[in-house]
Amino acid sequence: MATRLASYQAGSAPPPGPPPQRLSAHYRQASRSRRTMKVSPTWSNPTPEPQRRGYVGARVSSFTVSCPVSIGKLVLIELDKPRLLFEDLWFPAKIEVKSPEEDCALTVFEDNHHLGIASREQDLIQQKKDYCWEVYAEGIPHCMKAESFFSLPSKDRFSFTKDIELISTLAKEFVELKLKRLSNSKKNLPDIDAIKGVFCRKRTHISDYVQEHWKEDAFFGYQYLNGTNPMLIRRCSALPDNFPVTDNMVFLRGQGSLRNEMKKGNIFLCDYKRGKKQYLMAPLVLLHKTPDDKLMPIAIQLKQTPSDDSIFFPTDSEYDWLMAKLFVRSADFSEHQLNVHLLHTHLLAEVFAVSLLRNVPMVHPLYKLLIPHTRDTLEINFFARHFLISKTGIYPKIAAAGVEGMMTILKRSLSSMTYSSLCIPDDIAERGVEAVPNFYYRDDGLKLWDIIQRFVQGVLSYYYRNDTEVQTDSELQKWISDIFEHGFLSQAGTGIPQSFTTVADLIKFVTMVIFTCSGQHSAVNSGQYDYGGWMPNTPSTMQLPPPTTKGTTSEATMLQTLPNKGTTAKTMASLWLLSKEPSDFVPLGQYPEDHFSERLPCGLIKIFKGELEVLSARINIRNKKLDVPYIYMDPTKVENSVAL
């Protein structure tokens, strides 16, 4: 790779001759700085792009360019690279300049040198060409336009290793199903134990626990706190008009009336309402916190409109009650996959990333802070759109919603989304679940949010000393404006800011972005196989409608209603793939690429890592005392970005 190092003294003109071909700003971000040079500048490419992205045969090369005298204030470094007919992935990872002066990221109001301004503008022009918005479907967040995996910018693609792992794992699982003649089987399960033969080798400690306890009411209630969807449960102070449960219907274990238990904060509601048109069950679930701190279901209504025999209770026959819980768990599968997982983490993470890449140059402190939390998001979402949620994808084949229902749920979910629901302290308070015992998602999530917030506050307060600097940063304002327009479709009712007016506003939003892309995604993604690997605990679809008359269900009815062998096998294979930790996993707080070089941000990163280590240790100590450990907010198991 032929390269040339070019630097200009402050106030001087560029050297004569044709301008050098400029590499993308991604590879200049480490050198776009301003400082007084008093010692020899050194630049190197210690981690060439092919090695970082997993290419075999990659080598490390370093080069030194020395200058015996001060060259003045360094404004810009450019690298020549001849254009080839094919894309050459060899790039330097960074340029290091040794100097007694400290390097610094630059906001737009600080970048006042004409060369810096020109470079900044050119960066953004190119980035807007590379990252274009596209409407995948009306009514849902916009995505990045890409015709194929290969049209994604190389730096946003999976590593070679990760590509091979994903493809080989997918092929291996579905070949295994074909050999077992399961992938296209329409046969019903002869008995529940037949599920063990589908993925007998795919087991985790939690999936084994689920297999043993899936029928129990206490475990049914526990999953609303610490399963894959801890986002639905809320305190109930008054029953909805369409859920006519009375005292004589429910058993409260001698704790008094339903009204009194509501006043005490011991009654909780989970409402799966899905708008006017229904594509699958939209149940209502009433839960009671018992004196021994268990969350027990006391009533289930499977439809939004009550009717005779439409409300089920633990006192009903064994299979009437079990079937009611199965339909709830099936509804939860769709709610979790589409709203809680896909929309609230994957689709929003892509919006945050594309807006960042389009509107914020690499020298900007916001870019340096957020770019590690966008790693692999664009490709995994491209994969999801083409292989999971498309008309020919896996999801419509295994789930009750189908393509049309899926889009309806996503549109409804976005229209009802609020800013507070994305910020865990606000969300927990708004749902009234601050005091629910054994709510480990809440406990760990709030601690993680606080750690992230302190880190973000320290970094951003270093670059933005007052509210006026936030208001006058046009790049920052364009970032949030694009998010509001393309992510939330300009719906003011969401409460998403359309602009930033204070440093505090900025800190909260950036904290939410990092939390969403790391901790929140881990909480709703990593346990998918743990809780869904035993199919009856989370059926992806149901073959028969719910019973309309009590006392008519049996084990045979249940087996006819649960997904057939083929659907069960495909669902389990998909959940295993999506829950598998990749070999290039980067945990929260680890930054392999050094985007910051100033002492204070680098020191804050060390503090951030230390606080995450302390939280991890405390979570591990607590988990040793639990039958079902809650591991999904452990920082060592939380990935930096939505990468799978």
Side-chain angles (χ1 to χ4, degrees), residues 106-138:
L106 293 172
T107 54
V108 65
F109 52 81
E110 293 174 321
D111 207 352
N112 49 25
H113 190 280
H114 67 93
L115 289 175
I117 294 171
S119 174
R120 203 176 193 105
E121 292 174 349
Q122 290 177 30
D123 288 349
L124 293 178
I125 290 171
Q126 185 60 49
Q127 286 172 218
K128 283 181 168 63
K129 292 179 181 178
D130 293 340
Y131 301 94
C132 299
W133 292 109
E134 182 176 57
V135 178
Y136 178 73
E138 294 294 335

Side-chain angles (χ1 to χ4, degrees), residues 338-359:
L338 297 176
N339 181 16
V340 175
H341 184 203
L342 177 62
L343 176 61
H344 275 72
T345 60
H346 278 263
L347 300 190
L348 291 187
E350 182 170 6
V351 168
F352 301 148
V354 174
S355 185
L356 180 76
L357 294 164
R358 282 176 57 83
N359 299 301

Side-chain angles (χ1 to χ4, degrees), residues 446-520:
L446 288 174
K447 292 183 179 71
L448 188 60
W449 174 280
D450 288 343
I451 292 171
I452 294 172
Q453 185 178 47
R454 284 193 292 273
F455 171 58
V456 170
Q457 182 173 5
V459 172
L460 293 180
S461 296
Y462 177 70
Y463 295 102
Y464 295 96
R465 293 172 289 276
N466 54 62
D467 296 341
T468 301
E469 291 184 344
V470 169
Q471 296 163 15
T472 56
D473 190 331
S474 57
E475 293 163 347
L476 188 67
Q477 299 297 342
K478 183 57 180 172
W479 176 63
I480 187 60
S481 176
D482 247 19
I483 289 172
F484 178 74
E485 177 183 351
H486 295 282
F488 299 89
L489 309 186
S490 301
Q491 298 179 50
T494 60
I496 295 294
Q498 302 177 42
S499 62
F500 295 123
T501 57
T502 68
V503 178
D505 291 342
L506 174 62
I507 290 169
K508 181 176 181 178
F509 192 85
V510 173
T511 299
M512 181 275 291
V513 169
I514 296 177
F515 181 82
T516 297
C517 296
S518 56
Q520 183 64 21

Side-chain angles (χ1 to χ4, degrees), residues 130 372 400 443 616:
D130 293 340
D443 298 342
S616 177

Side-chain angles (χ1 to χ4, degrees), residues 197-241:
V198 177
F199 264 23
C200 56
R201 295 182 295 104
K202 307 295 189 295
R203 296 171 57 185
T204 68
H205 167 73
I206 296 177
S207 71
D208 284 350
Y209 185 92
V210 171
Q211 181 179 332
E212 294 177 13
H213 299 274
W214 68 279
K215 290 183 179 181
E216 298 172 8
D217 286 0
F219 185 64
F220 178 88
Y222 170 88
Q223 292 181 82
Y224 282 110
L225 301 177
N226 304 307
T228 55
N229 183 10
M231 310 303 297
L232 194 63
I233 185 171
R234 60 178 56 241
R235 180 179 172 180
C236 180
S237 56
L239 286 174
D241 292 338

Side-chain angles (χ1 to χ4, degrees), residues 126-136 141-157 346-347 349-355 357-358 377-379 381-383 385-386 486:
Q126 185 60 49
Q127 286 172 218
K128 283 181 168 63
K129 292 179 181 178
D130 293 340
Y131 301 94
C132 299
W133 292 109
E134 182 176 57
V135 178
Y136 178 73
H142 300 167
C143 62
M144 179 184 165
K145 184 177 182 179
E147 300 300 325
S148 69
F149 286 110
F150 302 106
S151 64
L152 292 170
S154 60
K155 66 186 180 66
D156 298 302
R157 299 256 309 276
H346 278 263
L347 300 190
E350 182 170 6
V351 168
F352 301 148
V354 174
S355 185
L357 294 164
R358 282 176 57 83
T377 297
L378 299 184
E379 181 160 352
N381 279 11
F382 184 91
F383 176 88
R385 281 190 291 274
H386 287 74
H486 295 282

